[in-house]
Amino acid sequence: MRHGRISLIQATYGSVFGLLMPFTLPLLAERGLSAAQIGLIMGVTGVAALVAYPAWGGVADGWLGRPRTTALASLLAAIGGAWILLAGDDPLALTAAMSVAVVGSMAWGPLIDALTLELLGEGSADYGRIRVWTSVGWAASTFLAGLVWSVAGPMPVFAAFVAGSLVMVALMLAPLPLPAGQVDGAHAAPRPSVRSWLPLLTAPVMVGFLVGLLLTAIGEHASARYVSLRILDQGGGIVLVGVAAALPALVETPIFASSRGLATRLGLRALFVGGAIVAAVLMGLVAVAPEPWMAAGLRAIEGTSYAMRYMAMVLVIGVLMPRRLYALGQSVAWFVYAGFAPIAADVAGGLIYDSFGAEALFLLIMIAFFAGAAVVWYVLRGPEFRAQRTVPPEVPPPPPPTPV
């Protein structure tokens, strides 16, 4: 029962988030903004999210509880989406509206992941089997949104985002069957003290992992943003942009579904590093792809890379942080992954794209992925991050023959 409920929440999260993130850049381009202006606007929204991540995590692990905090964030996302519909082509209004929508919707990832790990308990290796529903929802919504946009424009897409955010509010306010010990509203635990979490967040293995995560996240966000722009510049339409956003989710679905086997056979270290190497090779291919359909097709491979790196990120944080600090730990990871990294990816990516071209940008993204892989491989040296090989039990020697 609990797994079915959290699977529905993950599917709703993927569906609603898929109506926002792939289409913010095309919306800004359609309203006449240049690549540099788009990069600056997305960078500002990244700064807003940067401040929000640790705040969401602290409140969720403290007095308000994870479900209610997620509901509050969803309401904020709905307000931001409605503001986008009314903002027109004014850059300042669009910046403010997108900042509100992003601050609200970006809380979904870390808080829902923390809830999922809490519900799974000792079965956290099965995390991917629950997270797969986010990918299914994302794939469906991005594909359908691209078709709707091509016929009716962007307004129905962003109106659906507002409605979906309100659905998320309702899902999180309904009673959630949480196991004993879950931090939840009226039964919330005391707010975590600095002494309880600061040593965990400043431990060398945590800091090193966050550095590697930052490098790969910069590459991921720059890829997601500017492959879409590359497709449009090469003559592809908005439908192809939607297809390029949906394909990775279709590919990542079986990867998430096989999470227990991958995490056990490869280990969290190899899982993350392998995904980063796949992404690096992909970016090298995108840099030389001459046609928009080729760039869109290559994006499908990103699904494998993303699933491997994302699963490893959530589970590594689950190893490094105690259960009572899951939301804070996941929020700090997202602070790096989806808060700080997009600032560098959006601002620097737009300037590089305008000044040196798409090929140079994608080659730099490739270097970022390789560098992040090297850092993570170095810092995750502990046995808990390596493959778990099953050792067959020793067979006792046969008993001596009974004398006749």
Side-chain angles (χ1 to χ4, degrees), residues 43 90 162 311:
D90 179 21
V162 175
M311 273 195 297

Side-chain angles (χ1 to χ4, degrees), residues 13 29 64 79 98 108 113 128 142 179 183 191 205 217 235 250 270 280 312 361 393:
Y13 156 45
L64 190 57
I79 293 171
M98 288 192 172
W108 291 333
D113 280 339
T142 52
V183 177
R191 181 174 297 187
V205 63
L250 293 175
L361 175 61

Side-chain angles (χ1 to χ4, degrees), residues 25 28-29 31-41 226 229 350 354:
L25 192 149
L28 295 174
R31 294 186 178 181
L33 279 71
S34 68
Q37 287 177 312
I38 292 170
L40 288 172
I41 289 177
Y226 293 101
L229 195 59
D354 274 351

Side-chain angles (χ1 to χ4, degrees), residues 62-338:
W63 59 274
L64 190 57
R66 294 166 192 168
R68 290 180 177 85
T69 303
T70 309
L72 177 61
S74 302
L75 180 61
L76 194 64
I79 293 171
W83 195 355
I84 289 173
L85 290 171
L86 303 173
D89 58 0
D90 179 21
L92 292 178
L94 283 169
T95 300
M98 288 192 172
S99 296
V100 173
V102 166
V103 165
S105 61
M106 283 297 188
W108 291 333
L111 300 190
I112 292 173
D113 280 339
L115 275 173
T116 303
L117 290 181
E118 178 69 23
L119 289 169
L120 290 174
E122 296 300 322
S124 59
D126 288 326
Y127 162 79
R129 298 183 183 182
I130 305 298
R131 176 56 175 74
V132 69
W133 291 105
T134 301
S135 302
V136 172
W138 172 280
S141 69
T142 52
F143 179 73
L144 291 175
L147 293 178
V148 170
W149 184 313
S150 68
V151 174
M155 291 302 182
V157 174
F158 285 89
F161 171 77
V162 175
S165 299
L166 295 176
V167 170
M168 184 67 79
V169 174
L171 284 173
M172 299 311 301
L173 289 180
L176 191 65
L178 302 173
Q182 168 68 40
V183 177
D184 178 17
H187 304 290
R191 181 174 297 187
S193 65
V194 174
R195 289 182 179 180
S196 67
W197 55 259
L198 188 58
L200 297 171
L201 295 181
T202 56
V205 63
M206 175 68 87
V207 173
F209 177 70
L210 293 178
V211 169
L213 178 64
L214 174 63
L215 291 169
T216 56
I218 289 173
E220 178 184 324
H221 286 283
S223 168
R225 299 279 199 268
Y226 293 101
V227 167
S228 297
L229 195 59
R230 169 79 155 174
I231 289 171
L232 295 174
D233 287 347
Q234 288 183 318
I238 193 65
V239 173
L240 195 56
V241 171
V243 169
L247 283 176
L250 293 175
V251 174
E252 74 195 33
T253 297
I255 306 296
F256 276 121
S258 59
S259 61
R260 175 175 284 276
L262 284 174
T264 301
R265 294 191 192 98
L266 297 179
L268 300 181
R269 182 196 199 194
L271 193 64
F272 188 96
V273 170
I277 291 174
V278 169
V281 173
L282 168 65
M283 286 298 99
L285 295 174
V286 170
V288 298
E291 299 291 337
W293 63 267
M294 293 181 183
L298 287 169
R299 280 279 295 158
I301 305 172
E302 170 66 15
T304 300
S305 167
Y306 171 78
M308 294 172 70
R309 289 181 289 110
Y310 190 91
M311 273 195 297
M313 178 187 78
V314 172
L315 295 177
V316 165
I317 298 300
V319 170
L320 296 176
M321 300 292 285
R323 183 175 299 183
R324 63 189 175 83
L325 295 176
Y326 273 169
L328 180 61
Q330 298 298 336
S331 295
V332 169
W334 274 70
F335 171 86
V336 172
Y337 169 72

